[in-house]
Amino acid sequence: MTRDINPFISPAPLGGAMQAAQLDSYIADSWQRAATEHGLDKWQPDRPHVLTASEIRTQREPLDWLLRVGEPDIAALYGRVCDAGYVVMVSDTRGSCLSMIRNPLMDRELARGGLELGRIYAEAVEGTSGIGTCIVESKPVVVHRTDHFLAVHKDVTCTAVPIDDPQGRLLAVLDVSALSSHEDKRSQLLALQLTRIAAEAVENKLILSQRSKDQFLVTLHECGGPASGMSDAFFLMHEGGRIASPTKAAIRLVPRLAQRAGPLFFEECFGESPQRLLDVGVHRLSAGIVLRPSGSVRMLIARIDGALQAPDKPAAGPSSLPRRELVANTNTDGPTLGGDGLRELAGEDESCRRLVSLVARVMKNDLPVLVLGETGSGKEMFVRAFHRASERRNGPFVAVNCAALPESLIESELFGYRDGAFTGSKKGGSRGRILEAHGGTLFLDEIGDMPLSMQARLLRVIAQREVTPLGASTAIPVDFRLLCATHQNLERLAAAKLFREDLYYRINGAVFELPAFRQRTDRSFLVRRLIEDAVRGRAAKPRYDDRLVESLAGLPWPGNIRQLSNAIRFAVSVADDTLTLDDFPADVRRQGAPVPVAQFMRGTATDAVPFRAPADVSTNVPPALSAGSVELLAALQRNRWNIMACARELGISRSTIYRRMNRFGIVEPNKQIC
C-alpha cells in the first residue's frame, strides 16, 4: 500500500478544489503512451474488445474472493450513485470489466456509449480511460469527458480507484462511470470520494478475512476522536511485534506503516516495545494505550484484539522478556482443530495416533526433532503442540520461517547484532531469534530453504550451544530445544550438495512424518472439527449436512489441512442459514465431487468403475483423489458412458475426453478385464 493514497482529495473531509495541474500531468502522460507506445488514433471509430461469456467466467474466477467479500460495499456504492446515471464496474489488472452493476434496461445504450460487461479497458486498447489509466498509474484517477484519448468517449466520465490485496499489491479496479455529466471536472469529487471509501472498505474486509488465529488486530484512534467502535485504521500484528497488512487509514495516521522493504516491527513505528499493548490484550483492558508514532507529534490510542493467556513469570537467562510465545517471521494461518494437544491433532487416524505415542517417549530426552510433511499438513500445529506438552512449556517458543526471510536479513534475524554492527542497524542492536529462544524452543520452519551460507553458522550454534551476534567478539551460551520442519527431502538435497550433510544429521535426531490430508482415514472427522471450529462463537451458526462433509472429505486438497481450513472459514463467513458447496471459493466449487471420493476408494459407489493407475502416477497417491478424474468419471456416469454426450456437457472435444481417460486410468465398463 505504498502508492499515493489519494492524489486529488485530502484524507480530511471532502472540500477544496481539485489540483488541476496534477490531473493534467497524468492525463498528458496517458495520452503520450496511447499515441507513441500503443499507436492509437484519436479519431478511430469505436472497435471494442469484448470478452465472451465463457471468457468472463474464466477470468473472473481469481476475483471471486474479492467479489464475494466486497459485494455489500460495492452494491452500497451503486445505491449511492445510480440515481445520477452511474454504473459500477470491477475490472481485473488486465483491464477487463468482469462485474458490472447497472440498470439492465439500459444495456444497449450503455454499450453504444462504451460501457459494457466484458469490455477490455486497458490503455493499449482504449487509450486513456478510468480503468486502464488507474492500472498504469496505480492510484485513483478521474478521466472526465474530453480527458479520454478516443474522441468517441468525449461525453463519458470515469472515476477509478485501485483495490489492493492484503499484501499491498494491485488486485482489481473499482470504477464508477456515466454516459453524461456536468462539464466541470470538479463535479466528480463526490464520486471519487465515495468510490475511494468503498474500495478501502473492501480492502479492509479482505485483510480481516485472511487474519490468522495467531495475529492480533490493532486498531488506532486519534486522541480526542471516537472513544469506542471499530476503526478503519488498523493492522495485524504477530506477538513478536511484526506488523502485517496495515490499512490505508492506518497509513495516513502512521506513514511509517507504508514501508514495504523487509519486515516492519511495532517498535520501529511507535518507538517502544509492543509488550505494553500485548499486556492490554492479556488482561482484556478496553481503554487501550496512548502512543506517539515515531517522528510525529500526533497522539494515538491503540487497542488490541486477540486471545492471549496471562504471562508466566520470567525465568533467568539471556532473555528479559516474559515467558510467553515469541513468534517471528512465520506463517501461522493454520487451523486449531479445536485443541492444542497432540492427541487432539491425531484425531481418529490410527497412524497419527501411533506417531503421538512415539512422541511421548522422545519428549523425555533433548533430541532435536525434524518434522516432515507436505505444505499445509499441520507441521507447525504439531510443533506447537509438542512445545506445550514438553518440559520447556513455560519457556518461549520462537518460530522462524527460513523461507520467508530474505538471505540478506536471515543472519541478523537469527544471530542478532551489536549496536553499530552495520549501516542501518537498529540503535541498541538486536538480540536475535536464537537468544530469544533461551530456556525454551527454537522452531526453524522450512529449514530446507535456508541458504547454504547460513547453515555452517547454524551448525556451530547447534553443536556448541552458543551464539555470537554480528559485531560481537565473544559468544553467548544459549539453551534451547531445536525443532525443525520442511516439506522437502533433505536427504536428497544433501546428496545433491544443496543442503549440508553434517547439518542434516544434526537435526534429524527424531524424525516424524505427518500424513497428507488425502492419506488420513479420518477426513470426515477433520472436516466436521474444522467446521465446528469456524462457527464457534458466531451468533448465527449455519447448518450443514453429511453430504457436504463427505463431498469436502473426498476432494484432493493439495494444500492439505491449511487449504481446507481457509476454505471453510471463508464459506462460513459468507454463508446464510445453510452451508453449501456454493459458499466455498471458486477453486473448491470447480472440484466439487458429485459422488464422494471416499466411496470410490471403498468400492461402494453406485456404478463405480475401478481405476487403473497410469505409469507416471505414484501408487501411494490414489488417482481417484484427483479432482479432474472425479469430475470426468461423474460426467461419464451421468451420460451412461456416451463419449459424445459427455463431451457436449463438459464443453470439450471427444479426443480430449479419451486423452483424460487415459491419463487418469479410467476404463470403460465394456473394456474392463475381469
Side-chain angles (χ1 to χ4, degrees), residues 240-287:
R242 183 166 58 89
I243 291 174
S245 305
T247 65
K248 288 177 178 172
I251 292 174
R252 286 194 286 269
L253 291 178
V254 187
R256 185 69 178 271
L257 291 172
Q259 175 185 316
R260 285 288 171 190
L264 182 64
F265 289 88
F266 185 92
E267 188 171 351
E268 299 174 54
C269 297
F270 299 97
E272 67 175 85
S273 166
Q275 193 58 57
R276 191 158 60 99
L277 186 59
L278 290 171
D279 288 339
V280 169
V282 168
H283 300 295
R284 306 293 195 272
L285 300 177
S286 59

Side-chain angles (χ1 to χ4, degrees), residues 375-388:
T375 297
S377 58
K379 296 188 293 296
E380 184 169 343
M381 288 190 296
F382 176 88
V383 167
R384 288 176 177 275
F386 186 104
H387 167 75
R388 292 188 178 107

Side-chain angles (χ1 to χ4, degrees), residues 13 29 42 50 100 125-126 131 228 239 352 360 365 388 438 595 615 640 658:
D29 291 343
K42 177 177 175 59
V50 182
M100 184 175 181
V125 177
E126 293 277 355
I131 290 174
S228 62
E239 193 174 353
C352 289
N365 57 51
R388 292 188 178 107
H438 180 80
V595 182
R640 299 182 179 276
Y658 284 118

